Amino acid sequence: MGCPHPTLLEEMMSLSRLLFLAIGGICAVLMSVALYMEHMMGLEPCPLCMLQRGAVTGTGVIALAAAAIGPRGWGIRLGGIGVALASVVGATLAGRQLWLQSLPEDAVPPCGPGYDYLRETFPLTEVIRMAFQGSGDCAEVQWTFLGLSIPGWTLVFFVAVGVTGLFLLYRGPGRADTGLLR
């Protein structure tokens, strides 16, 4: 017979907490890679890239907050829906940039001002609107790995995190969040 109350170690190793920690950790790695690409490789991020960075950061913050709280029951669902919604935002931004990258050269919008200029000159809502429209900068493929550009890999990440968030959402209250040590 097992103890009816989980031990501290079992609670720390709960599946939901580990998934939230993994998502938060992956987001931290992705942001580190983005900063490395910008500052060490010299790849200048376009406005859509900057918004995707915000979505990665937001997803990570939500996941780490859910892990820190140690969600149970409805907390698992709230964390799952938060991560899933942040992923939808990020996937939408990455999809928009992939669409811009797929346009024929004559259909690409002209290059616009950089993100820093937009942020310093316009209100946030206007910056987001202008960045989402994209520009020629956003259509340029600066780096690929295994045939996918940076927004392609970002889209893969957001889809995986969104599916994980939905898994956590649907396994919430009424389903045991058993420790992995049993």
Side-chain angles (χ1 to χ4, degrees), residues 6-180:
T7 66
L8 178 61
L9 184 58
E10 287 174 336
E11 188 162 317
M12 287 175 53
M13 297 298 289
S14 71
L15 178 61
S16 62
R17 179 172 274 168
L18 288 176
L19 287 173
F20 285 127
L21 282 172
I23 291 168
I26 292 168
C27 288
V29 168
L30 288 177
M31 287 307 301
S32 297
V33 169
L35 292 171
Y36 176 83
M37 290 177 143
E38 178 181 356
H39 297 290
M40 303 304 285
M41 295 173 62
L43 301 180
E44 190 67 33
C46 72
L48 267 175
C49 293
M50 296 302 288
L51 291 180
Q52 288 172 71
R53 286 182 184 186
V56 169
T57 302
T59 302
V61 167
I62 291 167
L64 291 175
I69 293 168
R72 290 184 175 181
W74 284 100
I76 296 170
R77 284 193 172 180
L78 288 175
I81 199 163
V83 166
L85 288 175
S87 294
V88 167
V89 170
T92 302
L93 294 166
R96 174 70 177 172
Q97 188 168 3
L98 285 170
W99 176 77
L100 287 169
Q101 289 180 347
S102 73
L103 292 174
E105 223 175 280
D106 60 337
V108 171
C111 290
Y115 181 78
D116 289 335
Y117 175 81
L118 292 176
R119 194 185 67 222
E120 293 169 3
T121 309
F122 297 99
L124 180 61
T125 55
E126 188 68 12
V127 170
I128 292 170
R129 185 191 67 74
M130 291 167 61
F132 188 74
Q133 284 179 337
S135 67
D137 299 340
C138 298
E140 182 184 342
V141 177
Q142 296 185 38
W143 180 88
T144 62
F145 178 69
L146 298 176
L148 286 179
S149 64
I150 296 169
W153 284 109
T154 306
L155 180 61
V156 168
F157 163 75
F158 280 123
V159 168
V161 169
V163 168
T164 304
L166 291 175
F167 168 77
L168 289 163
L169 170 66
Y170 287 110
R171 72 178 302 275
R175 293 182 175 85
D177 189 28
T178 58
L180 299 178

